[in-house]
Amino acid sequence: MIKAAVLVSGGGTNLQALIDAQKSGILKSASIALAVSNKPGVLALERAKNAGIKSAVINKKELGQAEFEKRLDRTLKENGIELIVLAGFLCILTKSFTDRWPKRIINVHPSLIPSFCGEGFYGLKVHEAVLARGVKVTGATVHYVNEIPDGGEIILQKAVTVPEGITPQKLQKRVMKLAEWKILPQAAELAAQAIEKNH
Ligand code: GRF
C-alpha cells in the first residue's frame, strides 16, 4: 500500500470521489494520506477533515512559485508520499518540480485530450470552448503530469455526450459526474499498482 497526496484548489469533488473509492475498494493500492491546497478555506479542506485526512495549506499566492514548490516537495517527502493526484488543482507545476516526480503525478482534465487542453484551458473555460466549437462528444482524461500543461502520457479517458442547448455550468457538472469522478479513482489505482511493481 503506497501513500498518496491529493492536491486541491476548490470544491474538492474529485477528492471526494477518491475518498469514496477508497471506502468502496476501487482504490486499494494507495491510501490518501494527505490533502494539500494552494489556498485556504476551500471546501476540499472540509472534505478532507470530514474524512479524517491530514491536510495542509501552502499558499502559493503569498509564497510565489519557487517557494511554493519547495515547501510542497518538502511536505510530500516528510509524509512519505509516493503518488501525487491533482484533483481540481489549478496551479501550474514547473519542470523543476515535475522532473523530481517522474510518473508519480497524475491529473484529471475535463476534456478528451488532445482537444481543449493546454495553456488557458481549465475549469469552466474548457466547457465554454467545447460548446463554442459545437462538438457532440466531450469527456475527461487522466494523464501523467510533466512540464507540458496536460501533455503527459494518457492513462484513462471517458466520453460524455453533449446534450443540445446545455449550459457550460451544467456540462461541467455532467462531465464531472459521468467521467471525472469515475476515471480518476480508477487511474489512481492503476498508477499506484505501477509504483508498487517498481518497489
Ligand atoms: C473539475 O472539472 C476539475 O477537472 C477542474 O475543476 C473542476 C472542479 O474540480 N480542474 P473539484 O470539484 O475541485 O475536484
Side-chain angles (χ1 to χ4, degrees):
M1 173 85 83
I2 64 161
K3 287 185 177 175
V6 183
L7 275 50
V8 295
S9 298
T13 64
N14 280 291
L15 166 64
Q16 192 61 55
L18 290 160
I19 292 167
D20 298 346
Q22 197 171 281
K23 283 201 191 93
S24 69
I26 291 172
L27 179 57
K28 55 184 184 303
S29 303
S31 73
I32 305 169
L34 179 69
V36 182
S37 176
N38 60 292
K39 51 187 190 187
V42 295
L43 186 54
L45 291 167
E46 282 303 302
R47 294 178 190 276
K49 191 160 144 257
N50 295 341
I53 293 169
K54 180 180 176 184
S55 65
V57 176
I58 306 178
N59 196 321
K60 187 188 160 197
K61 217 172 173 164
E62 282 175 4
L63 296 168
Q65 186 75 33
E67 185 57 26
F68 169 75
E69 291 190 358
K70 208 166 121 217
R71 293 201 192 180
L72 176 60
D73 198 67
R74 191 173 62 227
T75 305
L76 295 168
K77 293 251 165 42
E78 281 166 2
N79 284 276
I81 300 301
E82 293 185 80
L83 174 62
I84 303 165
V85 183
L86 309 187
F89 183 65
L90 297 177
C91 294
I92 294 296
L93 295 170
T94 64
K95 180 171 170 38
S96 69
F97 183 89
T98 59
D99 280 356
R100 276 205 290 274
W101 299 87
K103 299 292 278 283
R104 291 287 194 277
I105 311 172
I106 69 173
N107 177 54
V108 59
H109 179 75
S111 78
L112 293 175
I113 289 175
S115 301
F116 307 107
C117 70
E119 212 64 44
F121 281 103
Y122 55 88
L124 217 44
K125 291 178 191 288
V126 173
H127 306 288
E128 286 163 352
V130 161
L131 294 174
R133 185 65 185 83
V135 295
K136 304 306 173 193
V137 176
T138 185
T141 303
V142 182
H143 60 94
Y144 282 109
V145 173
N146 59 20
E147 70 283 3
I148 305 156
D150 304 322
E153 176 193 339
I154 290 174
I155 304 171
L156 288 178
Q157 293 189 300
K158 189 162 178 53
V160 174
T161 54
V162 182
E164 198 56 44
I166 193 168
T167 64
Q169 291 76 7
K170 287 213 179 340
L171 183 57
Q172 178 175 50
K173 282 274 167 294
R174 182 178 166 85
V175 168
M176 288 160 81
K177 189 162 177 284
L178 300 182
E180 295 180 50
W181 300 343
K182 292 192 183 328
I183 63 173
L184 185 57
Q186 289 166 359
E189 175 59 21
L190 291 172
Q193 287 175 9
I195 292 165
E196 275 193 333
K197 252 190 229 125
N198 289 342
H199 270 176

